[in-house]
Coordinates of all heavy atoms in Angstrom, one line a residue:
K1 N 18.8 -136.5 70.8 CA 19.6 -137.0 71.9 C 21.1 -136.7 71.5 O 21.6 -136.9 70.5 CB 19.4 -138.5 72.1 CG 20.2 -139.1 73.2 CD 19.9 -140.5 73.4 CE 20.7 -141.1 74.5 NZ 20.5 -142.5 74.6
I2 N 21.8 -136.1 72.5 CA 23.2 -135.7 72.3 C 24.1 -136.9 72.7 O 23.7 -137.5 73.7 CB 23.6 -134.5 73.1 CG1 22.6 -133.2 72.8 CG2 25.0 -134.1 73.0 CD1 22.9 -132.7 71.3
C3 N 25.1 -137.1 72.0 CA 26.0 -138.2 72.2 C 27.0 -137.7 73.3 O 27.5 -136.7 73.3 CB 26.7 -138.5 70.9 SG 28.1 -139.7 71.3
V4 N 27.2 -138.6 74.2 CA 28.1 -138.4 75.3 C 29.5 -138.9 74.8 O 29.6 -140.1 74.5 CB 27.8 -139.0 76.7 CG1 28.8 -138.8 77.7 CG2 26.4 -138.5 77.1
L5 N 30.5 -138.1 74.7 CA 31.8 -138.5 74.1 C 32.6 -139.2 75.1 O 33.5 -138.6 75.8 CB 32.5 -137.3 73.5 CG 31.8 -136.6 72.3 CD1 32.5 -135.4 71.9 CD2 31.5 -137.6 71.2
T6 N 32.4 -140.5 75.4 CA 33.2 -141.2 76.4 C 33.7 -142.5 75.7 O 33.9 -143.5 76.4 CB 32.4 -141.6 77.5 OG1 31.2 -142.4 77.1 CG2 31.9 -140.4 78.4
Q7 N 34.1 -142.4 74.4 CA 34.6 -143.6 73.8 C 36.0 -143.7 73.8 O 36.7 -142.9 74.4 CB 34.1 -143.6 72.3 CG 34.7 -142.6 71.4 CD 33.9 -141.3 71.3 OE1 32.8 -141.3 71.9 NE2 34.4 -140.3 70.7
S8 N 36.6 -144.7 73.2 CA 38.1 -145.0 73.2 C 38.7 -144.1 72.2 O 38.2 -143.5 71.3 CB 38.3 -146.4 72.8 OG 37.9 -146.7 71.5
K9 N 40.1 -144.1 72.3 CA 41.0 -143.3 71.4 C 40.8 -143.9 70.0 O 40.9 -143.2 69.0 CB 42.4 -143.4 71.9 CG 42.6 -142.5 73.1 CD 44.1 -142.6 73.5 CE 44.3 -141.8 74.8 NZ 45.7 -141.8 75.2
E10 N 40.6 -145.2 69.9 CA 40.5 -145.8 68.6 C 39.2 -145.3 67.9 O 39.2 -145.0 66.6 CB 40.4 -147.4 68.7 CG 41.7 -148.0 69.1 CD 42.0 -148.0 70.5 OE1 41.1 -147.6 71.4 OE2 43.0 -148.4 71.0
I11 N 38.1 -145.2 68.6 CA 36.9 -144.6 67.9 C 37.0 -143.2 67.6 O 36.5 -142.7 66.6 CB 35.7 -144.9 68.9 CG1 35.4 -146.4 69.0 CG2 34.4 -144.1 68.4 CD1 34.2 -146.8 70.0
D12 N 37.7 -142.5 68.5 CA 38.1 -141.0 68.1 C 38.8 -141.0 66.8 O 38.5 -140.1 66.0 CB 38.9 -140.4 69.2 CG 38.1 -140.1 70.5 OD1 36.8 -140.1 70.5 OD2 38.7 -139.9 71.5
K13 N 39.8 -141.9 66.6 CA 40.5 -141.9 65.3 C 39.6 -142.2 64.2 O 39.8 -141.5 63.1 CB 41.7 -142.9 65.4 CG 42.8 -142.5 66.3 CD 43.9 -143.7 66.2 CE 45.1 -143.3 67.1 NZ 46.1 -144.4 67.0
I14 N 38.8 -143.2 64.3 CA 37.9 -143.5 63.3 C 37.0 -142.3 62.8 O 36.8 -142.0 61.7 CB 37.0 -144.7 63.6 CG1 37.9 -145.9 63.7 CG2 35.9 -144.9 62.5 CD1 37.2 -147.2 64.3
A15 N 36.4 -141.7 63.9 CA 35.6 -140.5 63.7 C 36.3 -139.4 63.0 O 35.8 -138.8 62.0 CB 35.0 -140.0 65.0
E16 N 37.5 -139.1 63.4 CA 38.3 -138.0 62.8 C 38.7 -138.4 61.3 O 38.7 -137.5 60.5 CB 39.6 -137.8 63.6 CG 40.5 -136.7 63.1 CD 39.7 -135.3 63.1 OE1 38.9 -135.0 64.0 OE2 40.0 -134.5 62.0
K17 N 38.9 -139.6 61.0 CA 39.2 -140.1 59.7 C 37.9 -139.9 58.8 O 38.1 -139.4 57.7 CB 39.6 -141.6 59.7 CG 39.9 -142.1 58.3 CD 41.1 -141.4 57.7 CE 41.4 -142.0 56.3 NZ 42.5 -141.5 55.6
I18 N 36.8 -140.2 59.3 CA 35.6 -140.0 58.5 C 35.3 -138.5 58.2 O 35.2 -138.1 57.1 CB 34.3 -140.6 59.3 CG1 34.4 -142.0 59.4 CG2 33.0 -140.1 58.7 CD1 33.4 -142.7 60.3
K19 N 35.6 -137.7 59.2 CA 35.5 -136.2 59.0 C 36.5 -135.8 58.0 O 36.4 -134.9 57.1 CB 35.7 -135.5 60.3 CG 35.6 -134.0 60.2 CD 35.7 -133.4 61.6 CE 35.6 -131.8 61.4 NZ 35.7 -131.2 62.7
S20 N 37.8 -136.3 58.1 CA 38.9 -135.8 57.2 C 38.6 -136.3 55.7 O 38.9 -135.5 54.8 CB 40.2 -136.3 57.6 OG 40.4 -137.7 57.5
L21 N 38.0 -137.4 55.5 CA 37.5 -137.9 54.2 C 36.5 -136.9 53.6 O 36.6 -136.6 52.4 CB 37.0 -139.3 54.3 CG 38.0 -140.4 54.5 CD1 37.2 -141.7 54.7 CD2 38.9 -140.6 53.3
R22 N 35.6 -136.5 54.4 CA 34.6 -135.5 53.9 C 35.3 -134.2 53.4 O 35.0 -133.7 52.4 CB 33.6 -135.2 55.0 CG 32.7 -134.1 54.6 CD 31.7 -133.7 55.7 NE 32.2 -133.4 57.0 CZ 32.7 -132.3 57.4 NH1 32.8 -131.3 56.6 NH2 33.0 -132.1 58.7
I23 N 36.1 -133.7 54.3 CA 36.8 -132.4 54.0 C 37.7 -132.6 52.9 O 37.7 -131.7 52.0 CB 37.6 -131.9 55.3 CG1 36.6 -131.6 56.4 CG2 38.5 -130.7 54.9 CD1 37.2 -131.3 57.7
K24 N 38.4 -133.7 52.7 CA 39.2 -134.0 51.5 C 38.4 -134.0 50.3 O 38.9 -133.6 49.2 CB 40.0 -135.3 51.7 CG 41.0 -135.6 50.6 CD 41.7 -136.9 51.0 CE 42.7 -137.3 49.8 NZ 43.2 -138.6 50.0
A25 N 37.2 -134.4 50.3 CA 36.3 -134.6 49.2 C 35.7 -133.2 48.9 O 34.9 -132.9 47.9 CB 35.2 -135.5 49.5
G26 N 36.1 -132.1 49.7 CA 35.6 -130.7 49.3 C 34.4 -130.3 50.0 O 33.8 -129.2 49.7
Y27 N 33.9 -131.0 51.1 CA 32.7 -130.6 51.7 C 33.1 -130.0 53.1 O 33.7 -130.6 54.0 CB 31.8 -131.8 52.0 CG 31.2 -132.4 50.9 CD1 31.8 -133.4 50.1 CD2 30.0 -132.0 50.4 CE1 31.3 -134.0 49.0 CE2 29.4 -132.6 49.3 CZ 30.0 -133.6 48.6 OH 29.4 -134.2 47.5
T28 N 32.9 -128.7 53.2 CA 33.1 -128.1 54.6 C 32.0 -128.3 55.5 O 32.2 -128.2 56.7 CB 33.3 -126.6 54.4 OG1 32.0 -126.0 53.8 CG2 34.5 -126.2 53.5
S29 N 30.8 -128.7 55.1 CA 29.7 -128.9 55.8 C 29.3 -130.4 55.9 O 29.0 -131.0 54.9 CB 28.5 -128.1 55.3 OG 27.3 -128.5 56.0
Y30 N 29.2 -130.9 57.1 CA 28.7 -132.4 57.2 C 27.2 -132.5 56.7 O 26.9 -133.5 56.0 CB 28.9 -132.9 58.6 CG 27.7 -132.5 59.5 CD1 26.6 -133.2 59.6 CD2 27.8 -131.4 60.3 CE1 25.5 -132.9 60.4 CE2 26.7 -130.9 61.2 CZ 25.6 -131.7 61.2 OH 24.6 -131.3 62.0
E31 N 26.5 -131.4 56.9 CA 25.1 -131.5 56.4 C 25.0 -131.6 54.9 O 24.3 -132.3 54.4 CB 24.3 -130.2 56.9 CG 24.2 -130.3 58.4 CD 23.5 -129.0 58.9 OE1 23.8 -127.9 58.5 OE2 22.7 -129.1 59.8
N32 N 25.8 -130.8 54.2 CA 25.8 -130.8 52.8 C 26.2 -132.2 52.2 O 25.7 -132.7 51.3 CB 26.7 -129.8 52.1 CG 26.1 -128.4 52.3 OD1 24.8 -128.2 52.5 ND2 26.9 -127.4 52.2
F33 N 27.2 -132.7 52.8 CA 27.8 -134.0 52.5 C 26.7 -135.1 52.7 O 26.4 -136.0 51.8 CB 29.1 -134.4 53.3 CG 29.5 -135.7 53.0 CD1 30.3 -136.0 51.8 CD2 29.2 -136.8 53.8 CE1 30.8 -137.3 51.6 CE2 29.7 -138.1 53.6 CZ 30.5 -138.4 52.5
A34 N 26.1 -135.1 53.8 CA 25.0 -136.0 54.1 C 23.9 -135.9 53.1 O 23.4 -136.9 52.5 CB 24.6 -135.9 55.6
Y35 N 23.5 -134.7 52.8 CA 22.3 -134.5 52.0 C 22.7 -134.9 50.6 O 21.8 -135.6 49.9 CB 22.0 -133.0 52.0 CG 20.8 -132.7 51.0 CD1 19.5 -133.0 51.3 CD2 21.1 -132.0 49.8 CE1 18.5 -132.7 50.5 CE2 20.1 -131.8 48.9 CZ 18.7 -132.1 49.3 OH 17.8 -131.8 48.5
E36 N 23.8 -134.6 50.1 CA 24.2 -134.9 48.7 C 24.4 -136.4 48.4 O 24.5 -136.9 47.3 CB 25.4 -134.0 48.2 CG 25.0 -132.6 48.0 CD 26.1 -131.7 47.5 OE1 27.1 -132.3 46.9 OE2 26.0 -130.5 47.6
N37 N 24.7 -137.1 49.5 CA 25.0 -138.5 49.4 C 24.0 -139.4 50.0 O 24.1 -140.6 50.3 CB 26.3 -138.8 50.1 CG 27.5 -138.3 49.2 OD1 27.8 -138.9 48.2 ND2 28.0 -137.2 49.7
D38 N 22.8 -138.8 50.2 CA 21.6 -139.5 50.7 C 21.8 -140.3 52.0 O 21.4 -141.4 52.1 CB 21.0 -140.5 49.6 CG 19.6 -141.0 49.8 OD1 18.9 -140.1 50.4 OD2 19.3 -142.0 49.5
L39 N 22.4 -139.5 52.9 CA 22.6 -140.1 54.2 C 21.8 -139.3 55.3 O 21.5 -138.1 55.0 CB 24.1 -139.9 54.7 CG 25.1 -140.6 53.7 CD1 26.6 -140.2 54.1 CD2 25.0 -142.1 53.8
S40 N 21.5 -139.9 56.3 CA 20.8 -139.1 57.4 C 21.8 -138.1 58.0 O 23.0 -138.5 58.4 CB 20.3 -140.2 58.4 OG 20.2 -139.4 59.7
R41 N 21.4 -136.9 58.1 CA 22.4 -135.9 58.6 C 22.7 -136.2 60.1 O 23.8 -136.0 60.5 CB 21.8 -134.4 58.4 CG 21.7 -134.0 57.0 CD 21.1 -132.6 56.9 NE 19.7 -132.7 57.4 CZ 19.0 -131.6 57.6 NH1 19.4 -130.4 57.4 NH2 17.7 -131.8 58.0
V42 N 21.6 -136.6 60.9 CA 21.9 -136.8 62.2 C 22.8 -138.0 62.5 O 23.8 -138.0 63.2 CB 20.5 -137.1 63.0 CG1 20.8 -137.6 64.5 CG2 19.7 -135.8 63.0
Q43 N 22.6 -139.1 61.7 CA 23.4 -140.3 61.7 C 24.9 -140.0 61.4 O 25.8 -140.4 62.0 CB 22.8 -141.4 60.9 CG 23.7 -142.7 61.0 CD 23.8 -143.3 62.4 OE1 22.9 -143.1 63.2 NE2 24.9 -144.1 62.6
Y44 N 25.0 -139.2 60.3 CA 26.3 -138.9 59.8 C 27.0 -138.0 60.8 O 28.3 -138.2 61.1 CB 26.4 -138.2 58.4 CG 27.8 -138.0 57.9 CD1 28.5 -139.0 57.5 CD2 28.4 -136.7 58.1 CE1 29.8 -138.8 57.0 CE2 29.7 -136.5 57.7 CZ 30.3 -137.6 57.1 OH 31.6 -137.5 56.8
W45 N 26.4 -137.0 61.4 CA 26.9 -136.2 62.5 C 27.4 -137.1 63.7 O 28.5 -136.8 64.1 CB 25.9 -135.2 63.0 CG 26.2 -134.3 64.1 CD1 26.9 -133.1 64.0 CD2 26.0 -134.5 65.4 NE1 27.1 -132.6 65.3 CE2 26.6 -133.5 66.2 CE3 25.4 -135.6 66.2 CZ2 26.5 -133.4 67.6 CZ3 25.4 -135.4 67.6 CH2 25.9 -134.4 68.3
R46 N 26.6 -138.0 64.0 CA 27.1 -138.9 65.1 C 28.3 -139.7 64.7 O 29.2 -139.9 65.6 CB 25.9 -139.8 65.5 CG 24.8 -139.2 66.2 CD 23.7 -140.1 66.4 NE 22.6 -139.4 67.2 CZ 21.4 -139.9 67.2 NH1 21.1 -141.1 66.5 NH2 20.4 -139.2 67.9
M47 N 28.4 -140.2 63.4 CA 29.6 -140.8 63.0 C 30.9 -140.0 63.2 O 31.8 -140.5 63.6 CB 29.4 -141.3 61.6 CG 28.4 -142.4 61.4 SD 28.9 -144.1 62.0 CE 30.1 -144.5 60.8
E48 N 30.7 -138.7 62.8 CA 31.9 -137.9 62.8 C 32.3 -137.6 64.2 O 33.4 -137.1 64.5 CB 31.7 -136.5 62.1 CG 31.8 -136.7 60.6 CD 32.0 -135.3 59.9 OE1 32.0 -134.2 60.6 OE2 32.1 -135.4 58.6
R49 N 31.4 -137.8 65.2 CA 31.7 -137.5 66.6 C 32.0 -138.8 67.3 O 32.2 -138.8 68.6 CB 30.6 -136.8 67.2 CG 30.8 -135.3 66.9 CD 29.5 -134.5 66.7 NE 29.7 -133.2 66.3 CZ 30.0 -132.9 64.9 NH1 30.1 -133.9 64.1 NH2 30.2 -131.7 64.6
G50 N 32.0 -140.0 66.6 CA 32.3 -141.2 67.3 C 31.2 -141.8 68.1 O 31.3 -142.6 69.0
C51 N 29.9 -141.5 67.8 CA 28.8 -142.0 68.4 C 28.0 -142.9 67.5 O 27.9 -142.7 66.3 CB 27.8 -140.9 68.8 SG 28.6 -139.6 69.8
N52 N 27.3 -144.0 68.1 CA 26.3 -144.7 67.4 C 26.9 -145.4 66.0 O 26.3 -145.3 65.0 CB 25.1 -143.9 67.1 CG 23.9 -144.8 66.9 OD1 23.9 -145.9 67.3 ND2 22.9 -144.2 66.2
F53 N 28.0 -146.0 66.1 CA 28.6 -146.5 64.9 C 27.9 -147.8 64.6 O 27.5 -148.6 65.4 CB 30.1 -146.9 65.2 CG 31.1 -146.0 64.9 CD1 31.3 -144.9 65.7 CD2 31.7 -145.9 63.6 CE1 32.3 -143.9 65.4 CE2 32.6 -144.9 63.3 CZ 33.0 -143.9 64.2
T54 N 27.7 -148.1 63.2 CA 27.3 -149.4 62.8 C 28.2 -149.7 61.6 O 28.7 -148.7 60.9 CB 25.8 -149.4 62.3 OG1 25.7 -148.6 61.2 CG2 24.8 -148.9 63.4
I55 N 28.5 -150.9 61.4 CA 29.4 -151.4 60.3 C 28.7 -151.0 59.0 O 29.3 -150.6 58.0 CB 29.7 -152.9 60.4 CG1 30.5 -153.2 61.7 CG2 30.4 -153.3 59.2 CD1 31.7 -152.5 61.8
N56 N 27.4 -151.2 58.9 CA 26.7 -150.9 57.6 C 26.8 -149.4 57.2 O 27.1 -149.2 56.1 CB 25.2 -151.3 57.7 CG 25.0 -152.7 57.6 OD1 25.7 -153.5 57.0 ND2 23.9 -153.2 58.2
Y57 N 26.7 -148.6 58.2 CA 26.8 -147.1 58.0 C 28.3 -146.8 57.5 O 28.5 -145.9 56.6 CB 26.3 -146.3 59.1 CG 25.6 -145.1 58.6 CD1 24.3 -145.1 58.2 CD2 26.2 -143.9 58.6 CE1 23.6 -144.0 57.7 CE2 25.6 -142.7 58.2 CZ 24.3 -142.8 57.8 OH 23.7 -141.6 57.3
L58 N 29.2 -147.3 58.3 CA 30.6 -147.1 58.0 C 30.9 -147.6 56.4 O 31.6 -146.9 55.8 CB 31.6 -147.8 58.9 CG 33.0 -147.7 58.6 CD1 33.5 -146.2 58.7 CD2 33.8 -148.5 59.7
L59 N 30.4 -148.7 56.1 CA 30.6 -149.2 54.7 C 30.0 -148.3 53.7 O 30.6 -148.1 52.7 CB 30.0 -150.6 54.6 CG 30.8 -151.8 55.4 CD1 30.1 -153.1 55.4 CD2 32.3 -151.9 55.0
K60 N 28.8 -147.7 54.0 CA 28.2 -146.8 53.1 C 29.2 -145.5 52.9 O 29.3 -145.1 51.8 CB 26.9 -146.2 53.7 CG 25.7 -147.0 53.4 CD 24.5 -146.3 54.0 CE 23.2 -147.0 53.7 NZ 22.0 -146.2 54.2
I61 N 29.6 -145.1 54.0 CA 30.5 -143.9 53.8 C 31.8 -144.3 53.1 O 32.3 -143.5 52.2 CB 30.9 -143.4 55.3 CG1 29.6 -142.8 55.9 CG2 32.0 -142.5 55.3 CD1 29.7 -142.6 57.4
L62 N 32.4 -145.4 53.3 CA 33.6 -145.9 52.6 C 33.3 -146.0 51.1 O 34.1 -145.6 50.2 CB 34.2 -147.1 53.2 CG 34.6 -147.0 54.7 CD1 35.3 -148.4 55.1 CD2 35.6 -145.9 54.9
K63 N 32.2 -146.5 50.8 CA 31.7 -146.6 49.4 C 31.6 -145.3 48.7 O 32.1 -145.1 47.6 CB 30.4 -147.4 49.3 CG 30.0 -147.7 47.8 CD 28.8 -148.7 47.9 CE 28.4 -149.0 46.4 NZ 27.2 -149.8 46.4
I64 N 31.1 -144.4 49.4 CA 30.9 -143.0 48.9 C 32.3 -142.4 48.5 O 32.5 -141.8 47.5 CB 30.2 -142.1 49.8 CG1 28.8 -142.5 49.9 CG2 30.3 -140.6 49.5 CD1 28.0 -141.9 51.0
H65 N 33.3 -142.7 49.4 CA 34.6 -142.1 49.2 C 35.5 -143.1 48.3 O 36.7 -142.7 48.1 CB 35.3 -141.9 50.6 CG 34.7 -140.9 51.4 ND1 34.8 -139.5 50.9 CD2 34.0 -140.8 52.5 CE1 34.2 -138.7 51.9 NE2 33.6 -139.5 52.8
K66 N 34.9 -144.2 47.9 CA 35.7 -145.2 47.1 C 37.0 -145.6 47.8 O 38.1 -145.6 47.2 CB 35.9 -144.6 45.7 CG 34.7 -144.2 45.0 CD 35.0 -143.7 43.5 CE 33.8 -143.4 42.8 NZ 33.1 -142.2 42.8
I67 N 36.8 -146.0 49.0 CA 37.9 -146.6 49.8 C 37.4 -147.8 50.4 O 36.3 -147.9 50.9 CB 38.4 -145.5 50.8 CG1 39.6 -145.9 51.6 CG2 37.3 -145.0 51.7 CD1 40.3 -144.9 52.5
N68 N 38.3 -148.8 50.5 CA 37.9 -150.1 51.2 C 38.3 -150.1 52.6 O 39.1 -149.1 53.1 CB 38.4 -151.3 50.4 CG 39.9 -151.4 50.4 OD1 40.6 -151.2 51.4 ND2 40.5 -151.8 49.3
M69 N 37.8 -151.1 53.4 CA 38.2 -151.1 54.8 C 39.6 -151.2 55.1 O 40.1 -150.7 56.1 CB 37.3 -152.3 55.4 CG 35.9 -151.9 55.6 SD 34.9 -153.1 56.5 CE 35.9 -154.2 57.3
V70 N 40.3 -152.1 54.2 CA 41.7 -152.3 54.5 C 42.5 -150.8 54.4 O 43.4 -150.5 55.3 CB 42.4 -153.2 53.5 CG1 43.8 -153.3 53.6 CG2 41.8 -154.6 53.8
E71 N 42.2 -150.1 53.4 CA 42.8 -148.8 53.2 C 42.5 -147.9 54.4 O 43.3 -147.2 54.9 CB 42.4 -148.2 51.9 CG 42.9 -148.9 50.6 CD 42.2 -148.4 49.4 OE1 40.9 -148.2 49.3 OE2 42.9 -148.1 48.4
F72 N 41.2 -147.8 54.7 CA 40.7 -147.0 55.8 C 41.4 -147.2 57.1 O 42.1 -146.3 57.7 CB 39.2 -147.1 56.0 CG 38.6 -146.2 57.0 CD1 38.3 -145.0 56.8 CD2 38.4 -146.8 58.2 CE1 37.8 -144.0 57.7 CE2 37.7 -146.0 59.2 CZ 37.5 -144.6 58.9
F73 N 41.4 -148.5 57.5 CA 42.1 -148.8 58.8 C 43.6 -148.9 58.8 O 44.2 -148.5 59.7 CB 41.5 -150.2 59.3 CG 40.0 -150.0 59.8 CD1 39.1 -150.4 59.0 CD2 39.8 -149.4 61.0 CE1 37.7 -150.4 59.4 CE2 38.5 -149.2 61.5 CZ 37.5 -149.7 60.7
K74 N 44.1 -149.1 57.6 CA 45.6 -149.1 57.5 C 46.2 -147.7 57.8 O 47.2 -147.6 58.5 CB 46.1 -149.5 56.1 CG 47.6 -149.4 55.9 CD 47.9 -149.8 54.4 CE 49.5 -149.7 54.3 NZ 49.9 -148.9 53.2
E75 N 45.6 -146.7 57.2 CA 46.0 -145.4 57.5 C 45.9 -144.9 58.9 O 46.5 -144.1 59.5 CB 45.2 -144.4 56.6 CG 45.5 -144.6 55.1 CD 44.7 -143.7 54.2 OE1 43.8 -143.0 54.7 OE2 44.9 -143.8 53.0
L76 N 44.9 -145.6 59.7 CA 44.7 -145.2 61.1 C 45.8 -145.8 62.0 O 46.1 -145.2 63.0 CB 43.5 -145.8 61.6 CG 42.1 -145.2 61.1 CD1 40.9 -145.9 61.6 CD2 42.1 -143.7 61.4
N77 N 46.6 -146.8 61.5 CA 47.6 -147.5 62.2 C 48.9 -146.9 61.9 O 49.9 -147.2 62.5 CB 47.6 -148.9 62.0 CG 46.4 -149.6 62.7 OD1 46.0 -149.3 63.8 ND2 45.9 -150.6 61.9
E78 N 49.1 -145.9 61.1 CA 50.3 -145.3 60.6 C 50.7 -144.2 61.6 O 49.9 -143.5 62.2 CB 50.4 -144.9 59.2 CG 50.2 -146.1 58.3 CD 50.1 -145.7 56.8 OE1 49.9 -144.5 56.5 OE2 50.2 -146.6 56.0

């Protein structure tokens, strides 16, 4: 099922931040990042596109990047 991108600007910012963290970590492919970190490729793809967010999955991603929620969201407001 393809995600319809009709979310808010805030969700777009979160999705872009998740993608930028992956790229900053040296992964050009979301698939490789998901595979190497034991994440569902489909679920991770959806997160990077702002679809189907869950707090648990976001927390998993933040843990992988060794960043907490305060740091993650603080940077989004700057």
